[in-house]
Amino acid sequence: MAAPPVVIWKQEVQRLLHCRDLVPRLEEALGKFSRRDSAEVIQPVRSILPLQKHHGFLGLMPTYMENDGVLSTKLVCFYNREAGSTLPAATATVMLLDPEFGNVKAVIDGEDITKMRTAVVSAISAKLLMCPGADVLAILGTGKQAIAHYNVFTEMFQFKEVRVWSRTRQGVERFCRSASGPVTACVSAEEAVRGADAIVTVTSSTEPVLFGRWVKPGAHVAAVGACRPNWRELDEVLMKEAVVYSDSRDGAMTESGDVILSGAEVFAELGDVINGTKPAHREKTTVFKSLGLGVEDAVSAQLVFHQWKAKAGLP
């Protein structure tokens, strides 16, 4: 009989999951995902169930990594909250299963897995696509994902200035208190992004907050919000003028309003760049449209599970 599943709570995930460990694992996973001619990663586009009464959605994100023996799924609820709401914008749980027997091995709090893997993949996009010598980072949004991106980007890169903007002054003040280093608070999104070398949009907006006329030629944009077909963070000018990359071409064409509503072409997946099958256009304005992949959750959860077993002295 299979042992009961291990439950790993949020505080333990925070202690076990680190950027430096995730970067190489996620780069490898993104490369495997984009090799469509192999069975290394089997992952459908996220299934979505609307929660109309609560202005939210339930997403189901299963993944099977055959060669690695990893079977997982993430359950994520995300919401279009009203400004000032104290309710969470997203909650998540990741389950690891034994692919041979089908039993659940671990149930892991998914909040920090989602924050960390999303920020690390955005940073991988910057590592591949951002112009050399980038000095200024702008972050639009001040929620938990924004702080995660600040932490990862400032750990991986050396920026001379980090600017932040939010629709509310309280959001900016909270972000500045949470930041581990100096931050320039901006009164408008335009002020934040003018002249910036790297821009992260991580908002709950359903309408564009970043406009192409503000963006410095050659800048890199990591667009993290707007994960529904009718939600947008980026305007049509930016989407049409930039070279657009994504984590999943199919996901972008199914879920991303930024891509669908603008009619922009997805030039490549990050995994294509990692695999060397598509070039990284560092000299051009680039957009990385992040939707989030089940394989990213699977790799992150497997790392947490292995670290937990090592700490507990288990094989």
Side-chain angles (χ1 to χ4, degrees):
M1 180 178 292
V6 168
V7 178
I8 305 177
W9 300 102
K10 175 182 173 67
Q11 292 79 3
E12 194 70 9
V13 176
Q14 289 176 330
R15 286 192 288 268
L16 297 173
L17 198 60
H18 303 285
C19 172
R20 63 181 178 273
D21 299 322
L22 267 183
V23 171
R25 289 170 172 82
L26 287 174
E27 287 179 339
E28 181 181 7
L30 290 166
K32 288 179 178 179
F33 173 79
S34 293
R35 289 198 285 271
R36 296 292 195 272
D37 59 346
S38 76
E40 286 188 279
V41 175
I42 301 173
Q43 181 201 293
V45 174
R46 176 169 36 212
S47 298
I48 296 292
L49 179 70
L51 309 174
Q52 294 182 350
K53 179 179 178 180
H54 304 288
H55 308 289
F57 303 87
L58 168 64
L60 179 64
M61 303 171 67
T63 300
Y64 177 39
M65 303 179 71
E66 187 170 84
N67 294 346
D68 297 291
V70 178
L71 177 63
S72 80
T73 191
K74 184 168 81 171
L75 302 170
V76 55
C77 289
F78 56 97
Y79 302 87
N80 184 19
R81 302 293 193 194
E82 295 182 358
S85 173
T86 58
L87 295 173
T91 62
T93 302
V94 183
M95 291 187 292
L96 287 175
L97 299 91
D98 186 306
E100 183 177 4
F101 295 98
N103 60 291
V104 178
K105 298 191 297 183
V107 179
I108 306 173
D109 185 277
E111 180 181 346
D112 281 271
I113 285 176
T114 302
K115 287 190 302 186
M116 180 68 79
R117 63 80 156 152
T118 304
V120 168
V121 171
S122 292
I124 290 170
S125 82
K127 176 183 172 182
L128 296 172
L129 303 171
M130 187 171 66
C131 63
D135 288 331
V136 179
L137 169 67
I139 300 176
L140 305 186
T142 55
K144 293 179 180 178
Q145 269 286 8
I147 283 290
H149 277 73
Y150 171 87
N151 290 337
V152 170
F153 270 66
T154 54
E155 179 176 340
M156 288 183 60
F157 309 106
Q158 297 295 319
F159 294 104
K160 293 180 180 178
E161 183 183 14
V162 179
R163 306 172 186 164
V164 65
W165 168 83
S166 172
R167 283 200 171 97
T168 68
R169 185 182 64 185
Q170 293 86 350
V172 173
E173 291 173 348
R174 182 179 62 249
F175 184 100
C176 292
R177 288 195 300 269
S178 300
S180 57
V183 177
T184 301
C186 298
V187 297
S188 70
E190 180 177 1
E191 179 188 353
V193 303
R194 285 281 188 187
D197 302 294
I199 303 166
V200 175
T201 60
V202 57
T203 73
S204 59
S205 179
T206 58
E207 299 292 336
V209 295
L210 179 61
F211 295 86
R213 65 181 183 274
W214 300 342
V215 176
K216 172 184 176 180
H220 174 62
V221 178
V224 179
C227 57
R228 297 297 299 144
N230 58 336
W231 295 2
R232 301 188 69 173
E233 286 187 308
L234 316 182
D235 80 332
E236 201 153 317
V237 171
L238 178 55
M239 290 300 297
K240 288 291 184 66
E241 291 183 350
V243 182
V244 179
Y245 297 78
S246 66
D247 42 14
S248 164
R249 185 186 301 273
D250 292 341
M253 297 304 297
T254 303
E255 296 185 301
S256 170
D258 286 320
V259 172
I260 295 166
L261 299 177
S262 69
E265 176 190 357
V266 177
F267 173 73
E269 295 177 345
L270 282 190
D272 295 325
V273 180
I274 291 167
N275 293 336
T277 57
K278 287 290 183 74
H281 287 295
R282 290 178 178 269
E283 77 285 359
K284 298 182 179 180
T285 304
T286 53
V287 166
F288 167 60
K289 181 57 212 173
S290 169
L291 277 306
L293 299 178
V295 68
E296 298 164 8
D297 299 306
V299 167
S300 304
Q302 185 79 342
L303 174 60
V304 168
F305 185 49
H306 284 166
Q307 301 274 46
W308 181 89
K309 288 200 299 181
K311 186 178 178 182
L314 299 174

